[in-house]
Amino acid sequence: MLTTLSDVTSEHEATIALPLQWVGMEGIAVPVSLHNYQSQAVPGKINVYVSVDKTEAKGIHMSRMHLIINQLAELELSKLTLERLLEELILSQEGISTQAKITLTLDILLRKEALLSGEFGYQSYPVTISAEMASNRRSHQLEITIPYSSTCPCSASLAQQLLSDRVNETFPTPKIDKQNLLHWIESAAGSVATPHSQRSYAYINLSIGDNDWPDISGLIRTMENTIGTPVQTAVKRNDEQEFARLNASNLMFCEDAARRVKNSLESMDFVQRYWFKIEHQESLHAHNATVIDEGENRTPLARSA
């Protein structure tokens, strides 16, 4: 004789009848397949929640939610996929919930070509995708982290001044022999001062609303091109020299990087709102230089059909 297992969630009512905004599970491991990304799935972690609007409900049906999320292993991640899962999450609660939310974190791995040599390596970018459904309202958010290199304009100017002073001291006559000058520059004596550079980051959070998703890999590359000096992977000496040249031609304070990022985000028609933080992790100081900004996109929104 089979024993019927009790279901506390369905058979009991809450002692205190109050609604709850979000109840769910966090850190569920799930493989994720992205459109136009790579043939194999990447590991992700997902947080999933539903609202408790039925005040007398003892709790939610968590096992049903887990089974719904498991479908991501067989589906291509897209806006449509997440919205379908959100609808299923709400329906699975049988009248307990009217809202659902999913937050997915993963690392996008992109192949990066060296600047000159033809070598390549792989760069990892943390990405968070969030989707929420409440009644007829749908909203999506995208967070990405972009590492890059920045060289301080002030430090570069001061280093140039020291080099100029040393040249003037070493070659006091009005005429300088070109070969002697070149030999001196390439010697240890010619290494007078170097500007300080730092590993820097752009943390970008985009509210997409119900607009079509961007190509995430393409968005990352667009932001790297906007800033101008992305970090490198595998390099040879000619690549490293070219990287030094790029940094010298792309001197920037954190304010310069922030204005480039802001200008680029305001030209993207899928963005409703944006928030970003620019962080230059100083090599001169023990603290960081930072810019934080947010705003609404002034361009017309491209609503999905």
Side-chain angles (χ1 to χ4, degrees), residues 24-66:
M25 298 171 286
E26 296 185 343
I28 301 173
V30 61
V32 179
S33 298
L34 287 168
H35 180 63
N36 286 337
Y37 176 51
Q38 57 187 30
S39 57
Q40 65 184 41
V42 296
K45 288 290 183 73
I46 195 165
N47 301 339
V48 57
Y49 314 90
V50 292
S51 61
V52 177
D53 303 293
K54 187 177 180 181
T55 57
E56 66 272 22
K58 181 71 172 176
I60 64 171
H61 302 281
M62 286 193 178
S63 60
R64 300 177 187 176
M65 294 169 64
H66 202 146

Side-chain angles (χ1 to χ4, degrees), residues 119-149:
E119 298 293 334
F120 69 91
Y122 294 90
Q123 174 69 40
S124 180
Y125 300 84
V127 173
T128 299
I129 298 170
S130 301
E132 184 175 329
M133 180 175 290
S135 301
N136 294 323
R137 182 177 60 83
R138 297 168 173 82
S139 62
H140 299 262
Q141 286 192 320
L142 176 64
E143 299 176 42
I144 57 174
T145 298
I146 310 290
Y148 62 97
S149 175

Side-chain angles (χ1 to χ4, degrees), residues 270-283:
F270 61 86
V271 176
Q272 279 191 345
R273 287 191 58 83
Y274 61 82
W275 178 99
F276 66 84
K277 177 182 178 181
I278 299 297
E279 183 178 86
H280 287 192
Q281 298 186 351
E282 295 272 8
S283 59

